[in-house]
Amino acid sequence: MSCEHDHDMATASSVVPKVKLFGAPYSTCTSRVIMCLMEKQVDYDLQVVDIAKTQDHKKPEFLAMQPFGMIPVLQDKDIQVFESRAIVRYIARKHEGHGTPLYGTSEKDRAMVEQWLEVEAQNYNPAIAPAVWHLVHAPLFGQQGDPAIAATSLQKLEKVLDVYEGVLSKSKYLAGDFFSLADLSHIPFTHYLINDGGKAQLISAGDRKQGCSVCNMMSLKVVKTYDLQKFRVNVGDVVAQLDPEGRASDGRLIVDSISRVIPKRPCSGFQ
């Protein structure tokens, strides 16, 4: 499946060889990798792994690639990588001179990107992930979310955002004045929380002094609209509607969704 987007689109002669990605289009971790592939203009085939209905991720052939039974997995010729943050680092480094410079242009830039990638993994993700699961994903998997757990998660997220607010009052993005892999890594969970969890006020609240700075980083005031599909039906049913290339029944590429807003758009979430 091709990366069909209009942001700094490479010519046919400059597109790098296609890679294979095993994952699900509604998965936050798969989305993280897809966005990185798009930014680096790397063509890819999405091999849909149904983690809901058929439990493809628990089958022996998948466990041979990922012994923990988690998505996504990237295959690039003879190189196979799992864990989404490891995958995006690999993609960004291998294709450093291609597409968006996700590590910046200096050693200082790279150090700051790595720092904020760790902050996302160790501070932001643990705070936001439980809220997204209980508010958004649990119902998709036929389970009932726990509002109390979601509320506790959001309280933790508020404290993390207070730190981000201070940083983003001094720079456009987390690692500096350039869009980086660190910013990209925040998008999937933030998108679900704002658009499907209905918590846009956490980012653009009027009482948050640097609300617009936080909003601009999270909604990523860059040029492309990725618009993550809102899967409001059973996840297994959604996967069943995909053809082998990961297309929806109407032919629209589901994974060409993941949303980015236009620069200088007012702070109103991702919509």
Side-chain angles (χ1 to χ4, degrees):
M1 181 177 60
S2 299
C3 305
E4 299 175 359
H5 64 98
D6 56 3
H7 176 51
D8 292 334
M9 193 63 175
T11 62
S13 60
S14 64
V15 173
V16 297
K18 185 177 292 187
V19 298
K20 188 175 291 187
L21 180 64
F22 295 83
Y26 46 79
S27 156
T28 51
C29 292
T30 302
S31 298
R32 179 178 289 116
V33 175
I34 290 171
M35 285 188 291
C36 185
L37 289 166
M38 293 172 72
E39 289 296 335
K40 301 308 290 184
Q41 300 171 346
V42 178
D43 206 4
Y44 62 93
D45 282 322
L46 177 68
Q47 302 293 309
V48 177
V49 179
D50 183 358
I51 62 175
K53 187 169 68 173
T54 61
Q55 296 280 292
D56 291 339
H57 60 309
K58 300 301 182 183
K59 294 179 179 178
E61 55 268 31
F62 186 79
L63 292 173
M65 296 189 296
Q66 218 293 18
F68 298 102
M70 305 290 286
I71 56 174
V73 176
L74 182 82
Q75 284 185 350
D76 183 9
K77 296 182 180 179
D78 61 340
I79 298 175
Q80 189 165 281
V81 189
F82 58 81
E83 291 294 338
S84 64
R85 292 171 185 82
I87 295 172
V88 297
R89 283 179 165 102
Y90 166 75
I91 295 166
R93 289 168 179 165
K94 177 177 179 180
H95 304 289
E96 188 169 5
H98 204 269
T100 305
L102 295 175
Y103 269 113
T105 58
S106 69
E107 285 303 313
K108 178 182 178 181
D109 290 346
R110 181 181 293 269
M112 293 300 98
V113 172
E114 287 291 353
Q115 170 183 282
W116 284 100
L117 279 170
E118 285 301 308
V119 172
E120 185 275 326
Q122 303 299 328
N123 296 273
Y124 189 80
N125 189 74
I128 195 173
V132 170
W133 169 257
H134 287 280
L135 293 174
V136 181
H137 286 154
L140 295 178
F141 282 80
Q143 301 180 33
Q144 186 171 355
D146 187 328
I149 295 177
T152 299
S153 173
L154 293 174
Q155 289 174 357
K156 294 178 180 178
L157 181 60
E158 283 271 22
K159 294 180 180 179
V160 175
L161 288 175
D162 288 342
V163 176
Y164 278 53
E165 188 174 6
V167 173
L168 292 167
S169 68
K170 301 173 183 175
S171 62
K172 291 181 180 180
Y173 301 100
L174 289 172
D177 290 333
F178 63 98
F179 173 69
S180 77
L181 198 59
D183 304 295
L184 181 150
S185 194
H186 287 75
I187 301 177
F189 272 111
T190 308
H191 176 95
Y192 272 121
L193 185 67
I194 289 177
N195 285 326
D196 295 282
K199 300 298 180 182
Q201 72 275 11
L202 287 178
I203 305 298
S204 56
D207 59 353
R208 188 175 284 282
K209 184 178 179 181
Q210 295 297 332
C212 279
S213 293
V214 177
C215 180
N216 285 336
M217 193 288 293
M218 294 302 179
S219 56
L220 302 174
K221 46 175 188 179
V222 233
V223 286
K224 170 89 176 70
T225 294
Y226 295 132
D227 192 21
L228 264 168
Q229 284 287 332
K230 300 175 181 63
F231 295 103
R232 302 189 184 281
V233 295
N234 181 275
V235 171
D237 292 340
V238 171
V239 173
Q241 295 174 27
L242 301 178
D243 69 17
E245 291 189 337
R247 296 175 184 269
S249 56
D250 64 357
R252 182 183 179 192
L253 288 170
I254 288 182
V255 290
D256 280 348
S257 354
I258 317 174
S259 181
R260 257 173 144 177
V261 297
I262 295 182
K264 300 181 182 178
R265 184 173 181 177
C267 294
S268 58
F270 289 163
Q271 295 287 11

